[in-house]
Each structure stands twice: as C-alpha cells, then as structure tokens.
Amino acid sequence: DWSTAINSFNAAAAFDPAGNEFTVDEIRWDGDASSGAVAGTVSLVPAADGKGIQSVVFALENKPIVIDQPAFFEEPWTIDRSSVAGSYDAAGKSLSVSAFSADFFGVALSGGGSYSKSEKQSPAIKAELRLLGSLDPQTLLKFWPRKFVISARQFIATRMTKGKLSAVALSMNL
C-alpha cells in the first residue's frame, strides 16, 4: 500500500451538458509526493442503457509538475511539459493512452499504452515509448527507479561512467 498527503487541491472547470464535457481551466495540487497543475478537456461517455458512464475520454497538458519520491528516485523530477490523451473504460476497468509526451531531464519521451485490470490474472500492460535526445549515465540514474531491475541499475552506476544513450525505443506487452 502507498499513500501520500495532499496539502492543497484547487480546480477550475466548466461543464457543457450538451457535449457532456468539462473544460478544465486548471487542476492544481501540492502534496508530499508531487505538485503541479494540468488543464484540458474531460468528456463523459454515457453507458448504452443511459445508466451511468461507459467511459471517460481525456486530453490534458501540464504546467510544470514536480515528482518528489526519494524512496523511488535519486532526486525530484521536474516535468517541464507533458500531454496525455486517452480514455478510461469504466466497465472494463481499463485505461488506454493514445498519445503521451513529456520533457524532463533535457530529453523528450513520447508514446502510448494501456492497462487492463483482471479479476483472475495479473493486469495486462502494454506500452510503446520513444526517448528523443541523449542521456549520459548519471542523468539516466536520476529517473531510473531505485528498485527496478536493480542489477542493470548497479551496472550502469558502477561500470558506465561515460557515454550517451540515444534513440531508445521501448515496447512492452505483459
């Protein structure tokens, strides 16, 4: 289990009932683990029977976001610019990200992916990500989670003192 305190939370949005859409002027938060603000649109798609919500469609962009998780990362991340578009299927308990981009540590990350929860088996996770720009080993270690593939992380920390990592593509289907 993981939890964190949210010290402040503010939201300003307008709802258009004809389009079932929120125009989010700003959602701003400040907490122990992160702080920042996002803006964009969130649309609600009604269920076919008219009872409840079938899905939530979103397109959001950020103002700078800071993620401060010392147990996971060597130093806080500042995400200067990011955007995400996708949908959440309420009945299927699945999240689909059709477009994602973020600029941090002097590089750009883009791609998409999905997450589907299952009652009887592990969640299905798919991702296609591309890293544009180049990273030296020290910068890579700043955002590599401390407890993720520890042996590879230690190899980079102890044996890769120089070099550049560029044109990285990640494809995952779990």
Side-chain angles (χ1 to χ4, degrees):
D1 285 339
W2 179 84
S3 66
T4 186
I6 299 293
N7 303 320
S8 66
F9 180 88
N10 296 300
F15 182 67
D16 173 12
N20 240 12
E21 183 173 272
F22 288 93
T23 299
V24 179
D25 296 323
E26 182 176 82
I27 298 173
R28 179 174 294 282
W29 71 95
D30 182 31
D32 290 348
S34 68
S35 61
V38 297
T41 59
V42 178
S43 302
L44 306 175
V45 179
D49 63 5
K51 298 178 182 176
I53 302 298
Q54 175 183 325
S55 62
V56 178
V57 178
F58 54 88
L60 300 168
E61 293 187 4
N62 82 297
K63 297 176 181 175
I65 293 175
V66 176
I67 300 172
D68 190 1
Q69 289 286 296
F72 297 102
F73 305 109
E74 282 190 10
E75 66 180 57
W77 291 27
T78 298
I79 302 172
D80 301 310
R81 182 204 60 80
S82 69
S83 63
V84 62
S87 62
Y88 176 74
D89 180 330
K93 297 182 181 177
S94 63
L95 175 68
S96 175
V97 175
S98 56
F100 168 81
S101 67
D103 294 343
F104 57 94
F105 291 114
V107 296
L109 183 67
S110 65
S114 63
Y115 171 89
S116 297
K117 188 174 180 179
S118 172
E119 298 296 326
K120 298 181 181 178
Q121 59 189 11
S122 297
I125 302 171
K126 295 180 182 179
E128 295 286 336
L129 299 171
R130 290 167 303 289
L131 183 69
L132 306 171
S134 63
L135 292 170
D136 59 47
Q138 296 75 26
T139 304
L140 175 62
L141 292 173
K142 289 177 184 178
F143 69 88
W144 188 310
R146 292 180 189 266
K147 297 179 182 176
F148 180 71
V149 192
I150 297 170
S151 60
R153 190 178 198 289
Q154 288 173 336
F155 179 87
I156 291 167
T158 59
R159 297 186 182 175
M160 292 183 68
T161 58
K162 296 179 183 176
K164 294 284 184 185
L165 183 63
S166 62
V168 175
L170 167 76
S171 182
M172 178 172 57
N173 187 357
L174 301 175

